[in-house]
Amino acid sequence: MTINYSKIIKSFYFWLFILALANLLLAFFFVRYPLQLNGDAPSYLGAMKIIQGQDYDHNLYGDETEKMLKTRILTTPLMLYASIFTGQFVGGEYSGMFFINLFFYFLIIWVFYELVKNIYQSNKIALMASVLFFTNYCLINYGPTYRTDIGGWFFFILTVLLAVNYFKTSQKKFFYLAILSSSIGVLFKEYGALGLITLSVLILFLPLNLWQKIKELIKTAVLFLIIPILYYIFVYLNFGFSYIDRYLYAVDATILNTADPGINWSIFLLIKVLGWLFLAGWPIFLYGLYQEYQNRNIQRIKILLALLPSSIAFLAWPGLTQRIAFIFVPLLAMISAYGLSKLKNKYVIILILIIYTIINYLIRNTSLSWDLLKIINF
């Protein structure tokens, strides 16, 4: 069997993998922030210790330690168990989580590529959107690292892909797979449930009568809730902790926390978060939005509108950070890529993507004595 190297090199999937790998290496050896054991990382280790019946640092978060660790057990169980299992082969829980996230890193890029290709019917747009997506500083810093966000992001995008397939084909298998994906995803991280919003909006766009749509929406909600509700009951019976407790804890830690008002909800903070979230990409996005208006495609508009509510669902959370708002980036990236596809000069497109990428590498960078967050922090 002869391998056709020329065909491989011309493949969009080949370049997708090469660029994603190069981005990962730069994230590890130039940006370096992903490899830091900081932020939420210790809380996940503590939660994994509890699951295994082992001792943990009871003073990790002072008086709030127990609530924090119970929150992790409630909201990220599948990521915790997957990390524990993988850690048995790679040297511990932290290493297990890191390798799981590496797997999700490549998986989420592939699924996002397929989603954009499905919506725009273009490999070129899908590749450009993927570059805008995986070089975004939030994915770099909070994806392939010692946190649990990327698992939820992956299932969010997977659910949207399955929902779009259902909308386009009316094949029931995609309907049920989207619900299953969301049910599993929410147990990796809450983001994983957001794709269900997109599915629900797309159901409203289907050529069904009102009663049929209502029945489909009720079925969607009931089927989705089966797995999470059973697990939440298990957690409540074993730990005396519910999702209401989790939300109130988040409110206490953000809105009611006068000692740390930095992530409390405000219009100023929203502007700041969104500004950093897609810093160099906003002009591209606005141009893409203009091109969407100029070249209106009814089916695509319905899909993008269905994706919007889930993409801005972070607004419902009491605290605002770029990491939580990252669910907006997939929508921003695909519309921006559509705008780039309308430019005639490919070298201009490449230059724009390079500038966007470099700026993202410099937003938060621990290998340098400075980064953009330190210089332009307001």
Side-chain angles (χ1 to χ4, degrees):
M1 180 179 177
T2 304
I3 299 176
N4 190 335
Y5 291 103
S6 177
K7 186 177 180 180
I8 292 174
I9 292 174
K10 291 178 181 178
S11 168
F12 282 92
Y13 291 105
F14 171 79
W15 288 107
L16 180 69
F17 173 76
I18 292 297
L19 292 172
L21 180 61
N23 179 67
L24 186 68
L25 293 175
L26 284 167
F28 288 162
F29 299 108
F30 175 60
V31 178
R32 293 173 60 184
Y33 185 82
L35 299 179
Q36 304 296 310
L37 274 171
N38 55 20
D40 296 338
S43 68
Y44 295 116
L45 179 62
M48 286 187 275
K49 295 297 184 184
I50 291 178
I51 288 174
Q52 298 174 89
Q54 299 174 4
D55 194 23
Y56 61 94
D57 184 357
H58 294 265
N59 296 312
L60 187 61
Y61 297 96
D63 294 337
E64 300 297 316
T65 298
E66 188 176 346
K67 283 185 181 178
M68 175 63 85
L69 301 189
K70 285 181 179 179
T71 294
R72 300 309 183 205
I73 294 171
L74 179 76
T75 59
T76 62
L78 292 184
M79 187 63 185
L80 298 179
Y81 281 107
S83 300
I84 291 169
F85 175 77
T86 308
Q88 295 176 1
F89 305 98
V90 294
E93 295 93 338
Y94 271 142
S95 297
M97 179 172 285
F98 182 75
F99 276 94
I100 292 292
N101 283 335
L102 276 183
F103 175 71
F104 274 132
Y105 169 80
F106 288 104
L107 210 54
I108 196 175
I109 291 171
W110 171 60
V111 171
F112 180 70
Y113 177 91
E114 294 297 334
L115 172 62
V116 180
K117 187 174 74 170
N118 190 321
I119 295 173
Y120 287 94
Q121 299 297 301
S122 167
N123 284 298
K124 178 183 176 182
I125 295 175
L127 183 61
M128 291 189 296
S130 297
V131 172
L132 293 169
F133 175 72
F134 65 67
T135 59
N136 183 273
Y137 99 96
C138 282
L139 184 64
I140 292 171
N141 287 308
Y142 305 115
T145 183
Y146 303 99
R147 292 175 176 84
T148 62
D149 298 273
I150 197 170
W153 295 338
F154 165 74
F155 281 101
F156 164 53
I157 293 174
L158 177 62
T159 302
V160 172
L161 173 60
L162 293 167
V164 169
N165 281 334
Y166 173 58
F167 176 68
K168 283 188 169 186
T169 67
S170 296
Q171 294 183 41
K172 278 293 185 180
K173 66 178 181 180
F174 293 120
F175 171 75
Y176 292 115
L177 286 172
I179 295 171
L180 179 62
S181 170
S182 201
S183 294
I184 294 173
V186 73
L187 297 181
F188 272 89
K189 191 74 173 179
E190 292 102 323
Y191 313 113
L194 295 177
L196 206 70
I197 301 175
T198 301
L199 174 63
S200 300
V201 177
L202 288 175
I203 288 172
L204 295 177
F205 287 140
L206 289 174
L208 304 173
N209 62 47
L210 180 59
W211 177 237
Q212 288 176 315
K213 290 177 181 179
I214 292 173
K215 287 197 298 183
E216 285 291 281
L217 290 174
I218 293 173
K219 184 194 297 184
T220 300
V222 170
L223 291 176
F224 162 74
L225 287 170
I226 293 173
I227 296 175
I229 286 295
L230 289 174
Y231 178 71
Y232 295 152
I233 291 172
F234 167 80
V235 172
Y236 185 74
L237 293 176
N238 285 273
F239 297 97
F241 195 75
S242 70
Y243 214 93
I244 296 174
D245 298 315
R246 184 269 189 278
Y247 188 80
L248 292 176
Y249 174 59
V251 170
D252 288 337
T254 53
I255 296 176
L256 302 180
N257 186 2
T258 56
D260 184 19
I263 59 174
N264 199 346
W265 221 108
S266 69
I267 296 299
F268 175 75
L269 180 59
L270 177 62
I271 294 170
K272 179 180 177 180
V273 165
L274 291 180
W276 283 115
L277 180 70
F278 207 56
L279 186 61
W282 283 112
I284 317 171
F285 168 74
L286 293 175
Y287 182 68
L289 209 57
Y290 170 75
Q291 289 299 328
E292 287 284 6
Y293 174 76
Q294 290 291 99
N295 304 277
R296 292 182 289 278
N297 177 296
I298 299 301
Q299 185 185 65
R300 189 167 71 235
I301 288 173
K302 289 179 179 178
I303 293 171
L304 295 178
L305 286 175
L307 188 52
L308 180 61
S310 55
S311 299
I312 60 173
F314 66 91
L315 297 174
W317 199 244
L320 277 176
T321 65
Q322 288 92 335
R323 180 164 58 99
I324 293 173
F326 178 75
I327 54 173
F328 198 10
V329 170
L331 181 61
L332 298 176
M334 62 178 71
I335 293 177
S336 299
Y338 181 69
L340 288 176
S341 72
K342 296 301 179 181
L343 299 178
K344 304 299 182 183
N345 192 321
K346 67 179 181 180
Y347 296 107
V348 171
I349 296 174
I350 293 172
L351 179 62
I352 290 172
L353 290 174
I354 290 174
I355 292 172
Y356 170 89
T357 301
I358 291 173
I359 290 175
N360 275 281
Y361 289 158
L362 296 178
I363 290 178
R364 171 169 278 156
N365 190 306
T366 56
S367 67
L368 302 174
S369 60
W370 59 273
D371 59 35
L372 293 180
L373 277 174
K374 293 175 183 176
I375 295 174
I376 323 175
N377 196 13
F378 59 92

